[in-house]
Amino acid sequence: MEEFTLKTFIFYGFALTTVASALLVVTVRNIVHAAFSLMVTLFGVAGLYVFLQADFLAATQVIVYVGGILVLILFGVMMTSGRLEMRIHIERGQLLLGGAVALVLLMLLLTVIANTPAWKNRIDDGTELPPTTERIGELILNGPFLLPFEVVSVLLLVALIGAALISRKEVRD
Amino acid sequence: MSGFRTMFANPGFNISEGFFPNINLQEKLNWAEEFIQNVLIPRLPEGFAAHFPVELGTMLVMFACAGIFVAVVPLLPLVLVLAERKVAARFQNRTGPMRVGPWGTLQTLADGVKLIFKEDFIPPQGDRFLFLLAPYVIFACSFAVFAAIPFSQNILVSDFNIGIFYIMAISSVIVMGVIMAGWSSNSKWSLLGSLRSAAQIVSYEIPLGLSILTVVMLVESLSMSEIVASQSNGVFSWLIFRSPFTFIAFFIFFISAIAEVNRTPFDLPEAESEIVAGFHTEYSGMRFALFFIAEYANMFAVSAIAVTLFLGGWEGALPGYDILGGMPGFVIKTLALVFLMMWLRWTLPRLRVDQLMNLCWKYFIPIAFFNILGTGVWGLIFPEDTLVSIIISCAIIYTGLIVAYTIAGRVMAQKPAPQPS
């Protein structure tokens, strides 16, 4: 039995918040409520990253997902939908398909969890890992991930220009 | 090492150790744990000591520290609100509040008491839960920012390795609170205000982040304490003077920060003449006061960040002159920037939406990218900060200012083209 420390207590707090709010995201009727509980989920995940001593990743998670993408989602919801109470109708075929996809995803995640070495003593073995920022910078800008990084940035640029083109009606004539 | 530790370790506290205790959370936690293990537990009765919850004790100490902080920081808005009203009054040739207390100094306190007793109105058609939650989201996020700001040599709640990045992440959550408030009020003014605010904050976060990046590139660290430590050699080692690009970055940062905290000339989300009061139209009483406190706390926070990043933080203008750990100097510099914000607010008219977005996307973002490129080149030419590099940098800044002044003078001397009326 693992010793019950303050750290584990906070960890389970984060884990519980993450899972509970994630459940709310998919069960709540009101889309805006779903979006806001997604915020809590993303925060919880950021907290879990902190427990994995990935501080840079945690801050990035908050800044990109909460500060950027979630705001976009909310914008979309508020701008487009007149009625917020959604009663989504699910047919049997969709249910089967969705269940299959979820099952495959679960298997995939379980495989990853099983095959990750040192998974068990990662959370609370007392050692403090060195800060990650510098290593991430080295890997992205001076290491094996330079090419993917550049390719992704070009992809984003293309998406940006595409979005500008689509949103400007006079260009399309 | 820390004043706090010696204060408790030996009863005779030596004041020469430093007047202000070291509020470094990590150290404090270690200290608390040590204190409980070595001092408290041996003195407890046998049976009780074995079960003493050390972790819980540590956590209580942590909460106490946070509590002190959360209790002190709201005093800032109390002063700043009065300052704002006094400054506004002077700009308009008035005297401002004069009745409550000497020179009206207790006016904010009186207003605070009044706000507590006001009706707490909740829109019946709105979303009750989110309406109640929104002020706390904004309030919590604006206060979480203060955790990473080094107020002096010794007062820094947590010295994160990713300090400035953490500040950006937390302050980007404020916009969620704004949207929450605007949407749950079920009022078109609130919704319009919150959408404007969200668009503005998301847009201006880009030049803000990019201008921070120039500083990070020169210091090669995200930690706030290391950023301050790199500016310890007097006024010319402050990052604003270290390269011409950081000089430009400072202005981009400061103007974007004004836009981030929704102040005039960028106060479209709260434009009284257009949308009543923006996202907090429907709020009253203490909930409104929370927004108000958060706004002034934000104002102080962005000024403090600007001071830390560009103007030397708590380091004095002369090397070694850090009176009381540098805190007075830090506060004076920050308040000077706050005053600048108030000055701008009562001088400039409000921008239009298109002007606001043009300024951000067509001017600030390209200039900020140019800055990053320039800082990279500068770092290649001068890998170390030497006397030569600082002299060259200051010379370029000086020349640039003169050229800008001349061009601005020429432009202003021209007769304005007749406006179609």
Side-chain angles (χ1 to χ4, degrees):
Chain A
M1 183 65 197
E2 199 181 344
E3 196 192 342
F4 195 77
T5 59
L6 176 66
K7 236 178 173 178
T8 40
F9 180 71
I10 298 178
F11 169 78
Y12 281 115
F14 269 120
L16 197 69
T17 324
T18 312
V19 174
S21 59
L23 274 177
L24 270 183
V25 173
V26 288
T27 51
V28 139
R29 280 270 149 72
N30 189 324
I31 336 174
V32 177
H33 284 184
F36 281 120
S37 47
L38 188 59
M39 174 178 101
V40 181
T41 313
L42 294 171
F43 251 112
V45 173
L48 295 180
Y49 283 146
V50 172
F51 273 93
L52 291 167
Q53 304 196 1
D55 46 3
F56 189 80
L57 192 60
T60 314
Q61 162 92 5
V62 172
I63 210 168
V64 171
Y65 285 99
V66 180
I69 289 176
L70 209 51
V71 172
L72 271 181
I73 291 176
L74 278 170
F75 250 72
V77 168
M78 286 177 187
M79 292 278 194
T80 51
S81 73
R83 37 187 261 267
L84 295 155
E85 298 288 324
M86 296 274 278
R87 193 168 277 278
I88 301 165
H89 188 69
I90 303 171
E91 286 176 19
R92 185 163 294 168
Q94 287 173 328
L95 202 65
L96 279 175
L97 200 67
V101 170
L103 203 67
V104 169
L105 196 64
L106 181 70
M107 301 284 269
L108 197 72
L109 286 176
L110 283 178
T111 325
V112 171
I113 290 172
N115 289 337
T116 307
W119 180 265
K120 293 190 91 171
N121 52 4
R122 173 91 346 176
I123 290 172
D124 200 9
D125 62 348
T127 56
E128 204 150 302
L129 299 173
T132 52
T133 317
E134 200 175 328
R135 278 183 297 159
I136 291 173
E138 281 283 325
L139 284 176
I140 285 182
L141 293 175
N142 203 11
F145 296 106
L146 178 60
L147 186 67
F149 178 68
E150 293 295 334
V151 170
V152 166
S153 61
V154 171
L155 181 73
L156 285 176
L157 187 68
V158 170
L160 204 69
I161 295 171
L165 194 71
I166 291 170
S167 62
R168 283 177 72 98
K169 283 195 182 112
E170 64 264 42
V171 177
R172 292 204 298 175
D173 194 50
Chain B
M1 187 164 76
S2 78
F4 215 81
R5 193 173 292 185
T6 43
M7 190 163 78
F8 284 92
N10 41 319
F13 170 53
N14 187 0
I15 201 146
S16 68
E17 275 278 351
F19 183 70
F20 286 106
N22 190 340
I23 307 190
N24 182 325
L25 192 67
Q26 195 58 49
E27 260 182 37
K28 180 79 61 290
L29 283 183
N30 293 342
W31 171 81
E33 210 168 330
E34 264 173 44
F35 180 80
I36 292 169
Q37 292 277 18
N38 300 335
V39 183
L40 199 62
I41 288 187
R43 287 172 197 183
L44 290 173
E46 278 292 314
F48 189 58
H51 301 288
F52 190 80
V54 178
E55 291 279 343
L56 194 68
T58 319
M59 194 163 73
L60 286 181
V61 173
M62 189 166 79
F63 276 132
C65 290
I68 293 170
F69 212 70
V70 172
V72 169
V73 175
L75 295 178
L76 281 171
L78 206 66
V79 180
L80 290 182
V81 172
L82 182 76
E84 171 101 61
R85 294 180 67 177
K86 283 289 187 185
V87 168
R90 289 294 166 188
F91 272 93
Q92 297 165 352
N93 212 359
R94 297 184 282 119
T95 53
M98 288 296 271
R99 299 298 174 91
V100 189
W103 300 286
T105 39
L106 298 176
Q107 182 68 48
T108 329
L109 215 58
D111 287 345
V113 172
K114 183 192 74 180
L115 279 173
I116 292 172
F117 286 112
K118 272 197 162 185
E119 185 195 353
D120 180 21
F121 177 73
I122 299 168
Q125 305 293 316
D127 192 310
R128 190 186 158 86
F129 178 71
L130 290 182
F131 186 84
L132 298 183
L133 188 65
Y136 300 112
V137 171
I138 294 179
F139 193 75
C141 291
S142 353
F143 278 76
V145 167
F146 282 91
I149 296 175
F151 285 91
S152 84
Q153 209 161 358
N154 300 320
I155 300 180
L156 168 59
V157 174
S158 187
D159 187 9
F160 292 116
N161 172 56
I162 51 159
I164 184 64
F165 198 47
Y166 158 83
I167 289 178
M168 285 205 67
I170 284 292
S171 56
S172 76
V173 181
I174 292 178
V175 68
M176 291 301 291
V178 170
I179 294 178
M180 213 184 261
W183 184 78
S184 63
S185 299
N186 193 28
S187 142
K188 54 190 162 202
W189 311 126
S190 302
L191 190 62
L192 278 175
S194 72
L195 287 181
R196 277 185 183 190
S197 179
Q200 180 174 323
I201 292 178
V202 169
S203 304
Y204 275 88
E205 220 155 64
I206 302 168
L208 197 81
L210 291 175
S211 51
I212 290 174
L213 203 55
T214 56
V215 169
V216 174
M217 281 169 80
L218 281 186
V219 180
E220 296 179 355
S221 172
L222 292 167
S223 148
M224 293 296 262
S225 59
E226 272 179 48
I227 290 174
V228 176
S230 79
Q231 313 180 58
S232 57
N233 289 322
V235 62
F236 287 108
S237 74
W238 290 0
L239 274 159
I240 186 172
F241 297 122
R242 283 255 280 278
S243 90
F245 303 104
T246 45
F247 188 77
I248 304 172
F250 169 71
F251 290 97
I252 292 184
F253 177 88
F254 193 64
I255 297 170
S256 308
I258 296 176
E260 285 266 299
V261 297
N262 296 334
R263 285 181 64 84
T264 323
F266 305 104
D267 68 339
L268 290 103
E270 297 164 18
E272 301 89 352
S273 50
E274 297 166 24
I275 48 173
V276 190
F279 62 89
H280 54 65
T281 305
E282 302 294 331
Y283 284 87
S284 61
M286 215 45 218
R287 289 179 209 289
F288 170 74
L290 283 183
F291 281 120
F292 215 62
I293 291 173
E295 190 184 326
Y296 279 86
N298 273 341
M299 203 169 129
F300 189 85
V302 293
S303 303
I305 295 164
V307 165
T308 311
L309 291 180
F310 295 99
L311 302 176
W314 47 263
E315 295 280 0
L318 295 169
Y321 279 81
D322 311 323
I323 308 147
L324 293 178
M327 183 139 178
F330 178 82
V331 172
I332 287 170
K333 279 187 269 188
T334 308
L335 288 182
L337 286 189
V338 170
F339 174 72
L340 189 60
M341 281 183 161
M342 291 177 181
W343 186 356
L344 289 173
R345 173 170 178 181
W346 297 103
T347 310
L348 295 176
R350 184 182 303 136
L351 292 181
R352 287 197 314 261
V353 177
D354 59 324
Q355 289 169 332
L356 179 92
M357 289 300 165
N358 269 355
L359 182 69
C360 177
W361 291 95
K362 293 187 182 164
Y363 294 95
F364 279 2
I365 292 180
I367 294 173
F369 274 122
F370 166 76
N371 256 340
I372 288 181
L373 193 70
T375 312
V377 174
W378 186 269
L380 281 180
I381 300 172
F382 303 105
E384 297 277 311
D385 284 299
T386 56
L387 192 65
V388 180
S389 80
I390 286 171
I391 288 174
I392 291 175
S393 151
C394 289
I396 294 175
I397 291 171
Y398 186 64
T399 328
L401 280 180
I402 289 177
V403 170
Y405 183 74
T406 322
I407 293 174
R410 291 252 173 89
V411 170
M412 282 176 188
Q414 285 169 358
K415 276 190 178 168
Q419 297 281 324
S421 52

